[in-house]
Amino acid sequence: MPSTHDYQEDARNQDIQVYINGKFFHRSKAYVSVLDGGFLLGDGVWEGIRLHNGNLLHLDEHLDRLFTGADEIALKINRSKDEVKEMLYKTLEKNKMFSDVHIRLIISRGLKKTPYQHPKVTIGGPTIVIIPEYKKPDPIVSVEGIKLAVVSTLRDNRVQNPHINSLSKHNCIAACIEADKKGADEGLMLDPNGYVSTCNSTNFFIIKSNEVWTSTGEYCLNGITRQSVIRICNQNKIVLKEKNFTVKDVLSADEIFVTGTFAGIIPVILVDNTVIGDGIRGKITKKLQDFYIADVNSS
């Protein structure tokens, strides 16, 4: 079964230059301190950004989410959004990259004088890392789809704010491990009220009677591609509902798909070993994929 993050290997990635706090390092020598808050505690925020035909897709939306998340955890980036943009483009120029690139932008709280969680022991400013890689999604996954398993790990804002794209990914990793043990590619996570929320690394949609449903968004990350799908549905008069729904609704859905920055829109053909629809990519999912690709190419 293919994965949402399967990609075509590219030998050029062996020699990429990684940006760390204003300097570039060969990936084999790109290190941060063991006393960095990101390593010690997962204390920071991040974004995954795609470069397509010279254009960083949805860049403003990604940076808005990054800065909002940093504010939520009282992390001072100490750079403007324009300055972060400049860092990104400088990294791409350094690596002579134009398209089919996935960037991981990471901002941790920075170096600590001792391994302790309180921000007061942080020394200096944040650590800013930019890792660019040539990454093209495996085209098979967009056709053949993936398998999900419902997991017991919840998305619960009483423990961790699910709207923050935090370096602390334990909640999602736990769900991922649970799904893997069940033989699935990703875990389908519920909210504290038992409604469907999201997957561990993608946002989740079902289609019932020609209507596209997704969660209310209260307990899931505000996905950039998720928002694109919502906008595309509204623009093309496809009924889109952000609502509460259950696993029972999922198992009786006509079609299911997930969304993410890297892979775009990916069909789901199995949930807990229940075949969804005809067990192949559905017509509305294919239509949304086409709309999304056209949208990306026009950006």
Side-chain angles (χ1 to χ4, degrees):
M1 181 70 67
S3 160
T4 55
H5 290 84
D6 282 356
Y7 64 93
Q8 300 173 0
E9 295 286 348
D10 194 313
R12 291 173 294 179
N13 288 330
Q14 296 176 12
D15 289 315
I16 61 169
Q17 295 288 313
V18 176
Y19 177 101
I20 304 177
N21 289 340
K23 297 181 180 180
F24 289 99
F25 302 86
H26 187 276
R27 70 177 301 157
S28 64
K29 298 180 180 179
Y31 306 124
V32 296
S33 170
V34 294
L35 290 174
D36 188 89
F39 172 76
L40 287 171
L41 303 160
D43 187 5
V45 290
W46 67 279
E47 289 292 322
I49 307 170
R50 280 183 64 201
L51 176 71
H52 179 72
N53 292 336
N55 182 35
L56 288 171
L57 299 177
H58 309 299
L59 179 56
D60 288 333
E61 291 91 334
H62 279 290
L63 293 184
D64 285 346
R65 187 170 68 181
L66 180 83
F67 275 73
T68 298
D71 287 342
E72 288 284 340
I73 63 172
L75 191 165
K76 294 182 179 180
I77 294 178
N78 295 336
R79 301 288 192 279
S80 68
K81 292 178 185 177
D82 284 340
E83 287 175 315
V84 175
K85 286 182 182 180
E86 185 178 347
M87 295 172 194
L88 290 167
Y89 284 113
K90 187 176 180 180
T91 302
L92 295 173
E93 182 180 353
K94 180 72 174 179
N95 287 280
K96 297 181 174 60
M97 291 172 157
F98 178 74
S99 193
D100 298 322
V101 172
H102 185 268
I103 295 172
R104 179 62 63 99
L105 168 61
I106 303 164
I107 302 183
S108 80
R109 199 177 300 274
L111 195 64
K112 290 180 174 289
K113 63 182 180 182
T114 188
Y116 179 51
Q117 66 188 28
H118 201 295
K120 71 180 180 181
V121 300
T122 304
I123 304 169
T127 299
I128 302 177
V129 175
I130 301 172
I131 306 171
E133 290 184 307
Y134 291 100
K135 276 189 175 180
K136 292 182 68 173
D138 187 335
I140 294 175
V141 71
S142 66
V143 177
E144 294 188 357
I146 62 170
K147 177 182 179 181
L148 304 181
V150 179
V151 296
S152 61
T153 304
L154 302 179
R155 295 284 284 187
D156 189 343
N157 60 8
R158 293 171 296 184
V159 177
Q160 182 173 322
N161 187 340
H163 296 151
I164 297 173
N165 211 10
S166 168
L167 291 182
S168 178
K169 303 297 291 182
H170 174 70
N171 180 244
C172 295
I173 293 168
C176 179
I177 292 170
E178 217 180 322
D180 186 65
K181 289 179 178 179
K182 292 185 174 184
D185 180 60
E186 289 210 21
L188 182 58
M189 305 174 72
L190 308 183
D191 69 23
N193 303 304
Y195 296 117
V196 172
S197 176
T198 186
C199 294
N200 58 271
S201 74
T202 54
N203 287 118
F204 182 79
F205 293 77
I206 69 173
I207 299 169
K208 293 177 75 74
S209 303
N210 296 317
E211 294 181 348
V212 179
W213 295 4
T214 190
S215 73
T216 63
E218 184 177 0
Y219 297 97
C220 72
L221 183 68
N222 181 24
I224 306 300
T225 309
R226 177 180 187 267
Q227 290 302 315
S228 292
V229 168
I230 291 171
R231 172 176 52 79
I232 286 169
C233 285
N234 292 332
Q235 289 174 343
N236 292 278
K237 298 182 180 179
I238 298 172
V239 177
L240 185 288
K241 294 182 177 180
E242 295 178 76
K243 58 176 289 181
N244 289 322
F245 56 92
T246 66
V247 172
K248 183 178 180 180
D249 294 312
V250 170
L251 298 180
S252 63
D254 301 318
E255 302 177 38
I256 298 176
F257 63 90
V258 297
T259 62
T261 294
F262 176 63
I265 298 173
I266 299 299
V268 174
I269 60 170
L270 285 170
V271 178
D272 280 352
N273 295 315
T274 295
V275 176
I276 303 303
D278 296 325
I280 59 175
R281 176 178 60 179
K283 293 180 179 179
I284 295 178
T285 300
K286 175 62 166 61
K287 181 185 293 187
L288 288 171
Q289 286 178 325
D290 292 341
F291 281 138
Y292 179 71
I293 291 170
D295 188 66
V296 165
N297 289 331
S298 66
S299 299

